[in-house]
Amino acid sequence: MRVNLTGMRVRVLALLLVLSAAGCGQHTRSQSRAAAAPRPRTTPAAVPAAHCADGDLRRIGSARIAYAGSARHGAVAFRTPAGAELARFGSTNVNDYPTVFGVVGVVVRADCTPSWYRVQLPVKPNGVLGYVRAGSLQLQRVGARIVVDISDRQLTVYDHGKVTLTATVAVGSSATPTPTGRYYVNQRLIPDNTSGPFGPGAIGISAYSNVLTGWTQGGPIAIHGTDEPGSIGHAVSNGCIRLPNATLRKVFTVAFAGTPVIIKA
């Protein structure tokens, strides 16, 4: 089938997603497909301000609203604006999901229009920030935010700063802990077998396991369902965050690409 993703036509292909090699669980292959990304709600053309100096870096986003940047034609990330190259990204990632970044800042021109965006990158090591030319990204507003408390084994969903859902989760074991930090949703995948080890869906985030360095795709972390409901509330996973399947479905409906995910100890 064909779906409209942030203004461009993209074919959603069936793909082999090795979630077992993504820090998530059993050593099996799971047939999965990419889920649709939302249309952008707005694309800020300028930073509201009385005055801007060329090259100013402004923070954007808050506890109520975040920004995601869709790279319709791919993008190049730099350490500093026009500095050393950090990484290159195609229009889609290895799982055929449209490339998206969490946008945390903007470098403006004297007329307050953006020249560069400061973005979170889905690369190792965790927490890397880079700069992407403003013309490479299409921005959209994101009202949801997810916070995971590892100690309490609790996930909380916020909508424009208000709590809309709380749930008990399973987290990484002591040998394969869930990495802490500030991340974002960078892909949404639906297994063909929705009764399997990942339940009805997997919400991929821009985090990687710090210990499963030899796994396929580098050991990316996801929030997903489970076929082991008895594991919920325990520290048993390979780093991923497990939810009861019914709860995962609810979170999946609001955790669009670019949604901030904060994981704290």
Side-chain angles (χ1 to χ4, degrees):
M1 65 178 173
R2 296 179 73 86
V3 293
N4 196 313
L5 299 179
T6 59
M8 75 174 168
R9 302 291 290 182
V10 189
R11 184 178 298 275
V12 179
L13 303 174
L15 56 107
L16 281 174
L17 174 68
V18 190
L19 279 174
S20 63
C24 292
Q26 293 84 347
H27 299 283
T28 58
R29 289 180 180 269
S30 176
Q31 289 279 352
S32 305
R33 62 188 184 278
R39 287 178 179 270
R41 297 181 183 176
T42 183
T43 304
V47 177
H51 172 75
C52 292
D54 189 45
D56 273 358
L57 173 62
R58 304 287 180 89
R59 178 188 173 191
I60 61 173
S62 67
R64 293 176 55 84
I65 290 292
Y67 288 90
S70 175
R72 298 177 57 187
H73 304 291
V76 181
F78 299 87
R79 293 186 184 278
T80 59
E85 184 177 311
L86 266 175
R88 288 179 174 264
F89 301 87
S91 59
T92 60
N93 67 13
V94 68
N95 293 323
D96 267 341
Y97 196 88
T99 297
V100 65
F101 306 102
V103 181
V104 297
V106 56
V107 178
V108 297
R109 303 183 182 93
D111 62 358
C112 295
T113 58
S115 57
W116 295 83
Y117 288 118
R118 193 178 193 209
V119 301
Q120 298 170 287
L121 299 176
V123 299
K124 286 184 168 184
N126 289 330
V128 172
L129 298 175
Y131 291 84
V132 173
R133 294 185 187 278
S136 298
L137 300 184
Q138 185 175 19
L139 258 63
Q140 63 191 55
R141 292 164 62 99
V142 180
R145 177 167 52 99
I146 297 172
V147 177
V148 178
D149 189 310
I150 294 175
S151 297
D152 290 343
R153 294 169 193 167
Q154 185 174 73
L155 177 146
T156 304
V157 177
Y158 295 84
D159 179 18
H160 294 83
K162 296 182 179 180
V163 175
T164 59
L165 182 149
T166 59
T168 302
V169 298
V171 297
S173 69
S174 58
T176 53
T178 300
T180 59
R182 303 182 71 87
Y183 308 107
Y184 69 96
V185 173
N186 68 331
Q187 55 189 337
R188 289 152 35 89
L189 302 167
I190 302 173
D192 283 350
N193 177 13
T194 57
S195 298
F198 314 112
I203 302 164
I205 64 176
S206 60
Y208 289 82
S209 169
N210 292 317
V211 295
L212 300 174
T213 55
W215 285 28
T216 300
Q217 299 184 25
I221 299 299
I223 301 168
H224 61 75
T226 182
D227 61 355
E228 298 182 31
S231 69
I232 302 300
H234 301 282
V236 294
S237 81
N238 282 333
C240 283
I241 299 152
R242 300 179 190 171
L243 281 167
N245 290 343
T247 307
L248 185 280
R249 290 188 182 93
K250 294 177 182 179
V251 177
F252 201 88
T253 62
V254 298
F256 290 120
T259 297
V261 179
I262 298 99
I263 303 176
K264 57 185 183 180

